[in-house]
Amino acid sequence: MSPLLGCVADDYTGGTDVAAALRRSGLRTVLIFGTPGPATVLPDTDAVVVALKTRSIPAGDAVAASLAVQRWLHGQGARRLYFKYCSTFDSTDEGNIGPVADALTRASGALLTVVCPAAPEHGRTVYQGHLFVGDRLLSESPMRHHPLTPMSDPDLVRVLGRQTPHRVALVAHGTVRRGAHAVRAALDTLRAQDVRYAVTDALDDRDLDVIARATADLPVITGAAGLAGAAGALTAAGREPGGPAVPALPQGPGVVLAGSCSAATLEQVALARGRMPSYRLRPERDGLVEEALGWLEDRLAAEERVMVYSSAPPEERSPGSAELLEQALAAVAARAAQLGARRIVVAGGETSGAVVNALGVTGAVVGAEAARGVPWLLTTGHPSLALLLKSGNFGRPDLLVTALEAS
C-alpha cells in the first residue's frame, strides 16, 4: 500500500516528534533518517517521515535535500506532503523555512499553503500572527538566546516575509473559530490575491482540527507536529488504528548525551547530574574527545547509566564551539554503542542529528513515548539500539533520568 502522507522534517528530533504525532493519530508510521537511497524499501505504511538535518545548513543545501526527499516520497506514492519545522519557528532572516517552503510548493504546483507552528500541548500558540511560548511572546522566551537561530521577532508574517519573495498574510483567530468553511473561504480569497503563505492562528487542538479540515485538499501543508497530528487523525478516520506491536526496549547500559542549551534542557541536566555520573565537555580543553572517551570507558564499565553533556547557560558558552561539541558528543555515542550501551538519550536537535549519523542509523520503528512528542525509536540495524531524541525545549525536568528507567 502506498503511503497516504509524506513528511519532510528539518531536523531529527522534529522528525521523531512528528512521527509520534502521526502514529498517535492512528497511522502506521515509518521514520527514515537522511535522504533515502534507491535501495530503500518501505513496508506497508500509512505515513513516511524523512528526518533531515537542514535547519541550520546553507539554504541552497537545505532546498536541494528537501526537494530530493519530495521526489522520493512522490515516487513512493505519497499523495500529500507535510513540511515540518520547529514549533518555535527558529530560523534566520535568510531561512531556511522560507526557501524550503518556496521550493516544495513550487515543485508541487501549489499556489498557497498554510504556516502553522502552533503546538498547544507544548505551550506554543499563535494569536494575531504572533508566536507565544506559554504566556510569553517568542521574543521574550529563552529562544531569544538560541546560539544558532536566536528568535527576537514573534511576528510570523514579518519573519517569513523576510525569507521569501512571496506574499504572506494572516488568517486570524476569529476566522478559525468560525470553522473549516470560514478558513477555506479565507484561503480562497488570499489565493486570489496572490498570497502564497497563510499564517493561521491556533490556540488549542480544536483550532488545529479546523485548520486540518480546511486544508485537506492542499498538496503541501507546513507546520509543527500539532497540525500534523490533526491532519493524521483526519486521514486515519475510519481506518484501523495502531500498527504492529512495539518491540520491548533492548536491555543494557544507558547513556544521556545533552547538547541543547535551552532552558528546559539546562534544568533537566541539572537534575540528572545529581542522579548519575556526569561529565561536562569543555571546548577550551585540549584532547576534548579523548578525555571524554576515557571517562566514558571507565564509568560505563561500572555504572548502568551515565551522562556526557555540553549544555551551558548563555554566559558560559564558547563562541563558535557548537560544531566541535556536536562532533564530540557523536564520538561519545559511537563509543558507547561499541561498549554495549543499548539505550541512548539525546537532548538537542543538532546533537541528535550528529549522533544518529555517527551511529549509522537510517531507520527506526516508532515506539512508546517517554514524554509527549518524545518517542523511543527502535533501530532497524544491528546492533539493536533504543534512541530517545529530545528537542531541547521538550520534557519534564526529570525526563533524562526517568527515560533510562523505562522497561
Side-chain angles (χ1 to χ4, degrees):
M1 177 186 294
S2 297
L4 303 173
L5 182 64
C7 176
V8 55
D10 68 355
D11 80 340
Y12 285 7
T13 57
T16 62
D17 183 20
V18 73
L22 293 172
R23 184 179 182 275
R24 197 186 310 128
S25 74
L27 297 180
R28 296 171 300 166
T29 303
V30 171
L31 175 60
I32 297 171
F33 293 105
T35 305
T40 302
V41 177
L42 287 177
D44 283 347
T45 189
D46 302 315
V48 180
V49 177
V50 179
L52 300 177
K53 198 170 182 284
T54 54
R55 182 170 299 171
S56 303
I57 67 175
D61 295 340
V63 166
S66 301
L67 285 174
V69 172
Q70 184 182 38
R71 290 190 294 270
W72 183 83
L73 288 168
H74 181 76
Q76 300 299 313
R79 302 175 191 173
R80 304 180 70 204
L81 181 72
Y82 194 95
F83 172 35
K84 196 277 179 188
Y85 39 76
C86 187
S87 59
T88 50
F89 209 71
D90 47 310
S91 53
T92 67
D93 284 352
E94 292 74 37
N96 291 341
I97 294 174
V100 171
D102 286 345
L104 296 177
T105 53
R106 181 170 58 249
S108 72
L111 300 177
L112 175 141
T113 190
V114 294
V115 174
C116 187
E121 65 183 353
H122 297 303
R124 316 293 195 268
T125 56
V126 182
Y127 182 69
Q128 294 299 309
H130 287 65
L131 183 55
F132 286 80
V133 177
D135 61 356
R136 299 281 183 176
L137 286 166
L138 176 67
S139 54
E140 298 175 7
S141 78
M143 282 302 299
R144 69 187 183 277
H145 297 307
H146 194 286
L148 296 177
T149 52
M151 296 303 293
S152 58
D153 189 349
D155 186 327
L156 297 180
V157 173
R158 193 162 55 210
V159 170
L160 187 56
R162 294 193 291 264
Q163 298 183 21
T164 175
H166 300 288
R167 294 187 64 193
V168 185
L170 173 67
V171 177
H173 190 248
T175 301
V176 175
R177 277 298 160 98
R178 290 201 297 273
H181 177 77
V183 173
R184 198 175 297 115
L187 296 178
D188 288 342
T189 298
L190 294 178
R191 187 185 291 110
Q193 296 171 351
D194 292 326
V195 169
R196 175 65 59 88
Y197 299 107
V199 173
T200 51
D201 281 353
L203 299 182
D204 55 32
D205 289 341
R206 291 176 299 168
D207 295 337
L208 295 177
D209 292 340
V210 166
I211 296 165
R213 293 198 303 273
T215 58
D217 61 344
L218 296 183
V220 175
I221 53 178
T222 85
L227 181 58
L234 192 66
T235 302
R239 301 170 63 84
E240 287 294 326
V246 177
L249 297 182
Q251 299 301 307
V255 176
V256 173
L257 304 171
S260 169
C261 294
S262 71
T265 296
L266 291 176
E267 185 177 12
Q268 291 160 351
V269 166
L271 192 150
R273 286 174 56 195
R275 304 282 290 274
M276 65 184 79
S278 302
Y279 179 88
R280 180 178 173 182
L281 294 167
R282 297 181 183 273
E284 67 274 9
R285 299 183 67 157
D286 294 332
L288 173 72
V289 174
E290 292 78 7
E291 187 174 318
L293 294 181
W295 181 91
L296 177 76
E297 291 167 3
D298 291 340
R299 289 290 183 169
L300 203 57
E303 304 285 348
E304 280 299 304
R305 57 187 185 182
V306 300
M307 178 172 70
V308 178
Y309 68 100
S310 62
S311 305
E315 65 274 11
E316 296 181 17
R317 297 174 197 165
S318 300
S321 64
E323 185 173 354
L324 172 66
L325 292 170
E326 285 170 24
Q327 294 308 313
L329 288 166
V332 170
R335 185 61 180 139
Q338 292 172 353
L339 293 171
R342 292 296 174 260
R343 302 184 185 195
I344 300 177
V345 177
V346 189
E350 297 298 322
T351 306
S352 292
V355 166
V356 167
N357 290 342
L359 293 172
V361 174
T362 58
V365 175
V366 182
E369 293 172 85
R372 193 75 164 181
V374 188
W376 281 105
L377 304 175
L378 288 303
T379 64
T380 54
H382 182 78
S384 177
L385 300 173
L387 302 180
L388 194 75
L389 308 181
K390 185 194 84 71
S391 174
N393 294 301
F394 281 13
R396 303 175 304 274
D398 64 348
L399 177 60
L400 301 182
V401 175
T402 59
L404 291 180
E405 297 172 350
S407 58

